[in-house]
Amino acid sequence: MTVTSPAATVAAPHTGLNRITADDDLFFKLHSLYPNALVNQLAYRFDTALDPDLLARWHAHLATGFIARRVRTTRFPIARAHWEPATESLPLRWSDTPVPDDAVLDWYLDRAAVEFDPARGLVWELSGAHTESGATVVTLVASHVACDGGGMMHAIVDSLDRLNRGEEPDRGASAGRLVGPVAGRRRSAADLADACGQLRAVVRGVRAARRARGVSEPARNPRPAEPLLPHAPTWQAADAIVQVDLAEWESVAAAHGGTSNGLLVGVAVGLLGRSGRISDGADVRVDIPHSMRGADDPRANATTGLPISVTYRRGERTDLPAVRAALKAAGRAYGDPATIPPIQHLQPVQMLLPKVVLHKFARTAKAPECLCTNMGRTAQQIAVLGGHRARDVIMRPVVNPGPVELFRRVEVGVNLAFSCDDDTATLVVTGADPDRFPTRETLRQLLAAEFADWGLSPRFW
């Protein structure tokens, strides 16, 4: 399932051990319960046949870069674990069997199923293959324990820049230097000091939570109990990749008084309504990841979630000016500790919870009903691999196959991820409610109808 961290924590210092944040800790503990559920994926499609040796050289840069990290736990129960450079990685996964051109999306989905081990540093995998028409498909998959979308982008930009300049892999000269040092002999003293700091953070957090106890977030809609469609015990969420001319996307957004980001939210809410997941007039909670990553930021995860409430009206387009106002208000609220909900002040307390307790909470937790990730103009920053420019670049949070009853229990809805270059807007859409988006074809039909209402001309993969 896709999980949005409730709040970002302060960046770790550049000296000493690079301690994990509350976000990292949450994903690390959830990894033992849902090992392959929280994954980010970069996918390329090139028109030419790339040499596998080129991917091997890129792999070498990634293996000494920003996501080449492992979790090192502590001897003190209260002290935080920390990041250390990984000394091993999953090998390049090159397929000698050409991929059918009409099965590229399925190939991407298959390559997202990876067994990761954060304690060993096996937290990412690079794969590639030629297609039957002589093109090349490439995918990089990374565990959410090791990076959020911004961290993954940092690792990709840095490694590709070094590769394209012909430089040799070098942890000290690349973004890999930010991961942190290997713990030395004085680790026990450092852990004791961190444990004391964590206790102080708990006290501050509890006090802040008490002061903010009147603050609340938008509520989510319960999942309707009916219908329950027949499915196999293990279910693959419906995925679609759709592209639109960027000029058309921005023109439609402006014509309806909104922004590119607002139109993304508007389409998502309309899609959720068309599926029958929510009723006419319902206020939909939309979660929007927002990067808090700064320059030379060593954190694996540095993202906060901005929740807003958006009204769905059957037969009408989403009110984009209202979305714009809600986004501005949410940004202001999350910039002031006095208007941050209590649960987010309690992240230091969350880090003290043993894994068994967190697992109990996780089994009753709910996934976002509507998650909209806007990565902006990221595609053009990472489109060139060894002198070859990709025809398409896609980044997306992955919803991997799982028990159909798990999808129903956590009440996951729709996830939309948007990115663009100078010409094309690309949306990766996941309908993860098995009874509203039972098949990929159902999802495409609903998307096509929603796009038509906005006057958009989608191109489906």
Side-chain angles (χ1 to χ4, degrees):
M1 302 302 145
T2 302
V3 174
T4 304
S5 168
T9 45
V10 177
H14 290 210
T15 59
L17 299 180
N18 182 10
R19 300 285 178 176
I20 68 172
T21 66
D23 303 339
D24 303 340
D25 176 74
L26 175 63
F27 291 128
F28 183 48
K29 288 173 179 173
L30 288 178
H31 175 82
S32 59
L33 184 62
Y34 305 121
N36 195 40
L38 305 172
V39 175
N40 291 312
Q41 183 178 43
L42 165 74
Y44 286 108
R45 185 162 61 173
F46 295 88
D47 286 332
T48 56
L50 272 59
D51 191 328
D53 287 343
L54 174 60
L55 293 187
R57 295 200 300 274
W58 186 23
H59 183 281
H61 281 281
L62 290 167
T64 56
F66 188 75
I67 56 175
R69 55 175 68 203
R70 71 184 187 101
V71 177
R72 181 80 178 271
T73 54
T74 68
R75 299 173 184 175
F76 288 84
I78 299 176
R80 293 172 296 169
H82 65 273
W83 293 108
E84 288 189 351
T87 57
E88 57 181 323
S89 60
L90 293 169
L92 172 65
R93 189 179 178 187
W94 178 264
S95 175
D96 291 322
T97 303
V99 178
D101 291 273
D102 61 356
V104 168
L105 178 54
D106 289 325
W107 184 85
Y108 289 147
L109 295 173
D110 289 342
R111 290 304 181 272
V114 185
E115 296 299 324
F116 290 127
D117 186 345
R120 293 176 58 190
L122 305 179
V123 291
W124 59 275
E125 184 177 65
L126 182 66
S127 304
H130 291 146
T131 67
E132 290 180 345
S133 64
T136 307
V137 285
V138 177
T139 177
L140 173 65
V141 181
S143 168
H144 217 317
V145 179
C147 63
D148 55 15
M152 190 174 185
M153 272 295 299
H154 186 47
I156 295 165
V157 169
D158 178 70
S159 59
L160 286 180
D161 283 349
R162 293 181 58 79
L163 171 69
N164 294 338
R165 289 195 302 265
E167 298 178 5
E168 293 298 317
D170 186 337
R171 194 184 306 275
S174 72
R177 72 188 184 281
L178 300 174
V179 174
V182 175
R185 294 182 178 179
R186 301 191 63 182
R187 178 185 171 196
S188 296
D191 286 348
L192 177 59
D194 188 73
C196 293
Q198 284 299 99
L199 288 176
R200 291 191 293 270
V202 167
V203 173
R204 291 193 301 270
V206 170
R207 288 174 179 170
R210 286 179 60 84
R211 289 192 296 268
R213 58 184 178 273
V215 179
S216 62
E217 291 186 326
R220 67 191 314 283
N221 293 286
R223 181 180 182 276
E226 299 291 339
L228 292 179
L229 303 181
H231 285 289
T234 299
W235 185 67
Q236 168 68 65
D239 283 277
I241 298 178
V242 57
Q243 294 179 312
V244 181
D245 289 343
L246 180 61
E248 181 180 271
W249 180 270
E250 293 179 337
S251 175
V252 167
H256 291 87
T259 63
S260 179
N261 199 35
L263 181 55
L264 173 64
V265 173
V267 167
V269 171
L271 175 64
L272 197 65
R274 287 177 187 276
S275 74
R277 171 64 183 263
I278 53 176
S279 59
D280 184 23
D283 290 329
V284 180
R285 172 174 169 143
V286 182
D287 287 282
I288 301 172
H290 176 67
S291 177
M292 306 295 287
R293 190 170 298 279
D296 287 343
D297 195 324
R299 291 177 291 178
N301 289 276
T303 303
T304 188
L306 298 181
I308 63 172
S309 181
V310 181
T311 303
Y312 167 69
R313 298 290 185 189
R314 184 177 295 118
E316 299 179 13
R317 290 183 288 268
T318 306
D319 185 341
L320 296 194
V323 171
R324 191 172 190 172
L327 287 170
K328 288 183 178 180
R332 288 193 300 269
Y334 273 63
D336 182 356
T339 53
I340 294 177
I343 189 64
Q344 298 184 19
H345 292 293
L346 297 176
Q347 285 189 325
V349 178
Q350 167 215 303
M351 295 187 73
L352 298 184
L353 296 177
K355 194 175 354 182
V356 64
V357 175
L358 192 63
H359 283 184
K360 183 177 181 180
F361 287 147
R363 288 189 174 94
T364 59
K366 302 301 181 182
E369 64 176 332
C370 186
L371 179 68
C372 293
T373 305
N374 189 338
M375 291 168 285
R377 294 176 182 262
T378 55
Q380 58 196 18
Q381 301 176 40
I382 55 175
V384 177
L385 173 58
H388 300 269
R389 179 168 290 276
R391 171 183 166 189
D392 294 301
V393 182
I394 296 162
M395 289 192 69
R396 70 183 188 107
V398 175
V399 178
N400 275 312
V404 67
E405 290 305 324
L406 173 64
F407 285 95
R408 288 168 172 154
R409 186 176 74 243
V410 302
E411 301 186 0
V412 62
V414 294
N415 297 345
L416 276 71
F418 174 98
S419 63
C420 66
D421 55 21
D422 289 334
D423 303 310
T424 305
T426 301
L427 283 82
V428 184
V429 184
T430 302
D433 184 325
D435 303 306
R436 274 81 199 172
F437 308 98
T439 65
R440 185 179 297 169
E441 183 56 34
T442 300
L443 175 61
R444 285 187 177 185
Q445 290 174 358
L446 292 169
L447 274 170
E450 181 65 20
F451 275 55
D453 264 7
W454 289 98
L456 293 165
S457 305
R459 302 186 295 274
F460 286 94
W461 280 35

